Amino acid sequence: MHKGKEFWRNFWVFLCILAVSFAIGLKLQEIAPFQSLVSMLFVLAVFLISLMTQGYFWGMLASILSVLIDNFVFAYPYFAFDFISTENLIAAVVMLIVAVITGALTQQLKEQERIKAEAEKEKMRGNLLRAISHDLRTPLTTIYGSTSLIIDSYDSLP
């Protein structure tokens, strides 16, 4: 995929998942004002972003923004940053760990898929070469046999 298209695809996936998480977080806060629900929602968002985008950048950015959004909007004191509380600090660390692990696993999976596709391509190439070789050898053997017979019995031919 072209680098520019890949960047914009990753950007829109990142933005949409964070926006949906933020909207759901606002609704969750109205229904049940427990900050841990919103934190778990943002951990899920970080996981999804890390899984659906290329590389570590988007997952890391998502985890940092999720921590900031969660802390600023959904944690008491509201609309103020508070990284002194243990709950907020643990949420930040967990989101970063989730982003790193998911990014690493996704990269490994993509590398394995690339190696598998390359091996399949090489296998198809080998099969094609064997088939072409067989298809060429059959008529050549017939021509060689006929020619050898003519050469061996040249003197006895009318």
Side-chain angles (χ1 to χ4, degrees):
M1 186 185 293
H2 183 50
K3 290 288 183 186
K5 285 183 179 180
E6 184 177 305
F7 172 83
W8 287 110
R9 181 198 163 281
N10 291 335
F11 173 76
W12 287 112
V13 166
F14 164 81
L15 192 65
C16 289
I17 291 175
L18 272 185
V20 167
S21 299
F22 184 78
I24 292 172
L26 289 175
K27 286 296 180 188
L28 272 176
Q29 197 172 30
E30 288 176 11
I31 297 169
F34 301 114
Q35 195 238 337
S36 60
L37 292 176
V38 177
S39 294
M40 286 188 287
L41 177 69
F42 278 107
V43 169
L44 177 64
V46 168
F47 175 76
L48 290 174
I49 289 169
S50 295
L51 190 64
M52 297 175 73
T53 57
Q54 303 289 323
Y56 293 102
F57 173 75
W58 297 103
M60 292 296 169
L61 184 61
S63 64
I64 292 168
L65 282 177
S66 293
V67 167
L68 293 175
I69 291 169
D70 186 37
N71 191 291
F72 190 76
V73 178
F74 299 106
Y76 185 82
Y78 299 109
F79 302 107
F81 289 111
D82 176 26
F83 286 106
I84 296 173
S85 93
T86 308
E87 185 178 356
N88 293 338
L89 202 57
I90 290 173
V93 170
V94 166
M95 285 185 200
L96 285 172
I97 291 171
V98 165
V100 169
I101 291 173
T102 306
L105 290 175
T106 304
Q107 289 303 105
Q108 285 178 352
L109 183 64
K110 288 175 185 171
E111 182 65 21
Q112 287 175 352
E113 287 296 320
R114 186 189 65 76
I115 291 170
K116 185 179 175 182
E118 196 172 294
E120 186 67 29
K121 182 179 165 185
E122 191 62 33
K123 183 179 174 184
M124 287 175 52
R125 181 180 168 272
N127 288 340
L128 178 65
L129 287 176
R130 279 190 289 283
I132 289 173
S133 173
H134 178 267
D135 289 347
L136 287 176
R137 269 188 272 149
T138 302
L140 285 177
T141 303
T142 306
I143 293 169
Y144 177 75
S146 300
T147 308
S148 295
L149 182 64
I150 292 172
I151 290 173
D152 290 343
S153 56
Y154 182 73
D155 295 333
S156 63
L157 291 175

